[in-house]
Amino acid sequence: MKLFKKKQKMTMWQKLFLIASLKIIFLVAVIKPIFFPNFFKNNFKTEDSQKDFMIKQLTNNSIKSTNKPNSKH
Amino acid sequence: MEHFLATVATDAVANVSGVVNWARAQFAMTIIFHFLFVPITLGMSVLVAIMQTMYYKTGKKEWKATTKFWQKLLAINVAIGIATGIIHEFEFGTNWSNYSWVMGDVFGAPLAIEGIFAFFMEASFGVVSLFGWKRVGKRFHLFSTWMFAIGTNLSGLWIIVANSFMQHPSGYKLNIETARAEMVDFSRIALQPKAIDTFLHQMSSAYMLSATFMITISAYYLLRKRHITFAKRSIAVGITFALLNAYFLFLVGDMQAATVTNMQPTKMAAAEGLFKGEEGAPIVMGMLNPSIKIGDNDKTAVFGIPFPKGLSLLGKHSLNAFIPGINDLVYGNKKYGILPAKELMKRGKVAIDAMYAYHAAKKIKNTSEMKKQKDIFEKHSKYFGYGHLKNEKDIIPPISTVFYSFHIMVGIGSFFMLFFLFMYVKVRKNQILENKLFLKISSITLWLSYIGIVTGWTMAEVGRQPWTVFGVLPTSKSATPIHLTNVKATFFIFLTLFVILGFAELKMMLKQIKLGPDSHEEEV
């Protein structure tokens, strides 16, 4: 009951400060570590393995390509 | 949990198109929510600074009350909107890690500068401006308010610079060794015409939205005969600001149309529903033919009122200039030197093959082959993105979305030019209270502004498809091959968070609007 009365007395500025703080804590301390880990750091130990993964991602349709390198273009 | 959600999905569970679609939906939702607050902050910070300058110059208490009331609403907007932007940084690292790898070194620079402005200039001067009324001198207080406004607008500039790189990549080089874009000329990224035009267009539309924010609330008071003197002063400031911006928007919109026509012809062709390119191309205001398809040259594309040669004038600033249509861009046009999309895809595949062969040669330490492949890659790297497309028609963005979003934006902008001219005359003649119908229309201008600004960005971003970085990196290659569950889960978490924050913002705003400018209940 006392807590309720205290909440009633909060000024607009206190409410704004509370909303902004809770939001930042929720996003940075809860959402980020649980749902948004750094994909590369989480899956690859070295920068070279990260690079190899990306090269594979960007060239994975190369072997299927019917147009082989042609320097005349 | 972390390992399950953010590890590479194996081929058996990977759902690449599902991840791309959900990641796009999540990004669109988070950016639209974030963008509800941004234009009000950009524009109201300037308007508050103007009103505070009036108080500083005249010393009139009425200006002080007016400034403090709008500053209070600005503070609510900033507090609710704050940190909703950092969600995008999270998304870049997890949902769009391929994009971050390839473009991070270029894209990250303007974002880092934005961070410096946002956290140092905006935060420090914003606090002084908000809480310094009785704590610092009048001159330093005014200085802080202006510095907050300038800092806010400058941080907006760097976001636009980053976005413009995605729309028109320049000043970079794709490195075959690292598969990363490297910055070679910062000035070509920061000062390219696309960035300048978009910045001017974005800022003036944010100012327009803020002006209508003032107009809508002031019209509400006038219709209810409350706070008449305050509301008349505020609506006069708002209408003057809106009128200036309506005509400035027309000018910068014209500049931007020319930039888009030259740099992103597929976007302009879709925005105008132009299928068959022509000299002296018209603008047709009307409805897109729902049965027309790419490749149809004989069907009428848009039913409506044509403005002869309008599109050539808009896009090339010449009445008889040739504007390429969708079919020219897909199938090519020899006369005007437009290569067919199939040829661009072929050249792109040459670049991809060269990258593949380069790394294969590196494994066996064949340096001469590496050099040969590097030369081939550098010759074809500007087509790199096209090599990833599966179909020639993929180079065209979703036509109806781009067409209607563009036309709605232009329609609202044109209406504002006429409406605010009329309202300005009424303000000058002190007849603002005489016509209730126009006050009622004024009271909905904020919502029209929101529709205009969101449709404008929809045209810009959907019109950029199928690319994240135009011509270089397709959206389908930018997303991370992670489990779909992760993207879906965070989509609904953010949706819930935004509904709660949206209600909090509305409730607090409406309470302050009801209390009005005379309220000293919550004096700082």
Side-chain angles (χ1 to χ4, degrees):
Chain A
M1 193 66 192
K2 272 183 183 174
L3 186 72
F4 179 74
K5 277 184 181 172
K6 261 190 178 178
K7 273 186 184 172
Q8 290 282 305
K9 283 177 188 172
M10 277 173 85
T11 66
M12 184 193 83
W13 304 105
Q14 286 169 327
K15 280 181 200 167
L16 287 178
F17 184 74
L18 188 70
I19 290 172
S21 309
L22 285 177
K23 186 175 40 173
I24 291 169
I25 291 167
F26 178 67
L27 287 174
V28 176
V30 181
I31 295 287
K32 169 83 173 98
I34 296 176
F35 294 102
F36 290 96
N38 185 305
F39 173 77
F40 283 114
K41 282 183 186 164
N42 204 49
N43 289 285
F44 306 99
K45 285 181 181 167
T46 62
E47 183 141 330
D48 276 347
S49 58
Q50 294 175 12
K51 189 182 77 183
D52 290 344
F53 170 79
M54 270 314 299
I55 302 285
K56 201 176 165 189
Q57 286 283 301
L58 293 174
T59 59
N60 59 3
N61 58 348
S62 167
I63 42 173
K64 293 172 193 166
S65 172
T66 51
N67 306 292
K68 290 297 166 195
N70 181 357
S71 58
K72 280 181 185 172
H73 283 296
Chain B
M1 192 169 191
E2 180 177 313
H3 284 282
F4 166 67
L5 292 172
T7 48
V8 185
T10 60
D11 287 346
V13 293
N15 179 351
V16 177
S17 65
V19 170
V20 172
N21 290 337
W22 276 91
R24 283 184 68 194
Q26 186 181 107
F27 203 90
M29 178 180 70
T30 49
I31 201 95
I32 287 174
F33 184 77
H34 179 60
F35 206 68
L36 296 178
F37 306 98
V38 172
I40 290 187
T41 306
L42 291 171
M44 285 309 294
S45 61
V46 175
L47 279 164
V48 165
I50 292 170
M51 287 184 276
Q52 196 178 332
T53 308
M54 294 302 289
Y55 167 60
Y56 180 81
K57 280 195 165 182
T58 62
K60 285 184 180 175
K61 282 184 180 175
E62 294 85 354
W63 276 115
K64 186 180 179 183
T66 308
T67 308
K68 289 184 89 167
F69 175 72
W70 293 111
Q71 193 181 43
K72 205 184 276 183
L73 298 189
L74 171 63
I76 295 171
N77 183 69
V78 171
I80 304 285
I82 202 166
T84 52
I86 62 167
I87 295 170
H88 304 118
E89 313 277 341
F90 301 171
E91 290 175 47
F92 283 134
T94 305
N95 299 351
W96 301 100
S97 63
N98 287 9
Y99 168 82
S100 300
W101 176 274
V102 181
M103 294 296 161
D105 290 350
V106 180
F107 190 76
L111 288 190
I113 301 172
E114 189 271 340
I116 292 166
F117 278 110
F119 290 107
F120 292 99
M121 211 166 162
E122 283 179 71
S124 46
F125 286 111
V127 168
V128 177
S129 173
L130 198 59
F131 298 102
W133 285 95
K134 289 175 184 170
R135 293 177 177 90
V136 295
K138 225 173 163 183
R139 185 180 287 194
F140 182 67
H141 189 227
L142 179 65
F143 173 75
S144 301
T145 305
W146 273 109
M147 290 309 282
F148 172 68
I150 292 166
T152 304
N153 281 261
L154 280 179
S155 69
L157 167 71
W158 294 108
I159 297 289
I160 295 292
V161 165
N163 181 271
S164 297
F165 175 78
M166 297 168 78
Q167 306 284 350
H168 182 248
S170 55
Y172 80 103
K173 191 182 171 191
L174 204 53
N175 187 329
I176 190 172
E177 174 66 34
T178 57
R180 277 185 149 150
E182 291 169 354
M183 191 186 293
V184 291
D185 187 350
F186 182 70
S187 65
R188 280 179 61 203
I189 296 171
L191 301 173
Q192 65 155 315
K194 178 77 190 162
I196 293 165
D197 293 354
T198 309
F199 176 69
L200 293 174
H201 196 77
Q202 169 51 44
M203 288 303 128
S204 46
S205 56
Y207 295 165
M208 171 62 85
L209 191 138
S210 299
T212 56
F213 179 70
M214 280 181 79
I215 292 165
T216 291
I217 295 167
S218 305
Y220 164 83
Y221 286 144
L222 292 174
L223 283 166
R224 276 158 188 74
K225 297 189 169 57
R226 291 178 57 200
H227 317 295
I228 301 283
T229 315
F230 161 83
K232 279 174 81 176
R233 186 184 303 112
S234 294
I235 208 168
V237 173
I239 285 173
T240 310
F241 206 56
L243 180 71
L244 289 171
N245 276 295
Y247 286 87
F248 188 66
L249 265 172
F250 176 77
L251 285 176
V252 291
D254 175 67
M255 281 161 62
Q256 208 175 11
T259 319
V260 171
T261 307
N262 289 322
M263 295 174 179
Q264 298 175 295
T266 46
K267 185 192 277 185
M268 185 47 93
E272 284 297 351
L274 185 72
F275 279 71
K276 190 182 172 189
E278 56 185 299
E279 289 173 357
I283 288 178
V284 186
M285 296 301 286
M287 207 186 92
L288 193 67
N289 182 350
S291 70
I292 196 164
K293 290 186 173 61
I294 296 173
D296 289 344
N297 263 329
D298 303 324
K299 281 187 181 173
T300 305
V302 184
F303 302 115
I305 309 158
F307 294 88
K309 300 181 188 286
L311 187 53
S312 291
L313 187 64
L314 183 75
K316 299 275 184 182
H317 293 165
S318 162
L319 285 172
N320 295 313
F322 176 79
I323 304 289
I326 289 165
N327 296 336
D328 303 284
L329 296 161
V330 173
Y331 301 109
N333 185 324
K334 270 189 183 173
K335 188 180 170 189
Y336 293 98
I338 300 168
L339 290 172
K342 268 189 178 168
E343 178 60 27
L344 301 176
M345 289 162 68
K346 197 176 163 188
R347 294 182 185 194
K349 281 190 168 68
V350 172
I352 293 170
D353 283 342
M355 183 182 266
Y356 181 83
Y358 174 89
H359 286 277
K362 195 182 168 194
K363 276 182 189 162
I364 54 167
K365 295 178 182 168
N366 184 343
T367 48
S368 62
E369 182 65 16
M370 282 169 69
K371 192 185 174 304
K372 185 184 155 195
Q373 296 302 333
K374 192 179 178 186
D375 289 344
I376 296 171
F377 180 80
E378 283 179 358
K379 217 171 177 182
H380 295 84
S381 65
K382 67 176 176 178
Y383 305 106
F384 185 74
Y386 290 93
H388 294 287
L389 302 181
K390 287 178 181 149
N391 189 306
E392 59 197 328
K393 292 177 186 172
D394 290 349
I395 65 161
I396 303 298
I399 300 168
S400 58
T401 308
V402 179
F403 176 87
Y404 285 112
S405 55
F406 178 62
H407 282 76
I408 291 169
M409 176 194 70
V410 171
I412 290 172
S414 308
F415 168 73
F416 278 170
M417 283 171 71
L418 295 173
F419 182 70
F420 289 124
L421 182 63
F422 176 82
M423 291 303 281
Y424 181 73
V425 174
K426 289 281 173 194
V427 167
R428 296 288 293 177
K429 290 182 177 173
N430 202 17
Q431 294 172 341
I432 197 79
L433 289 170
E434 284 175 13
N435 197 323
K436 287 216 167 148
L437 175 67
F438 285 97
L439 274 181
K440 281 181 183 170
I441 297 172
S442 297
S443 71
I444 59 159
T445 50
L446 174 64
W447 312 117
L448 291 176
S449 279
Y450 266 126
I451 294 169
I453 209 163
V454 170
T455 50
W457 272 109
T458 303
M459 183 256 181
E461 299 303 292
V462 177
R464 193 191 60 222
Q465 297 306 316
W467 314 103
T468 47
V469 179
F470 201 88
V472 181
L473 191 65
T475 309
S476 59
K477 281 283 164 187
S478 305
T480 319
I482 50 172
H483 292 267
L484 187 55
T485 321
N486 189 29
V487 194
K488 278 186 182 176
T490 46
F491 178 91
F492 289 108
I493 288 171
F494 288 141
L495 184 63
T496 312
L497 177 71
F498 294 160
V499 170
I500 295 168
L501 286 174
F503 273 115
E505 157 111 359
L506 266 180
K507 201 180 165 194
M508 293 181 86
M509 280 269 186
L510 290 176
K511 188 186 172 189
Q512 289 308 314
I513 292 165
K514 275 183 186 167
L515 285 170
D518 303 333
S519 165
H520 297 290
E521 183 198 64
E522 289 172 350
E523 189 75 51
V524 178

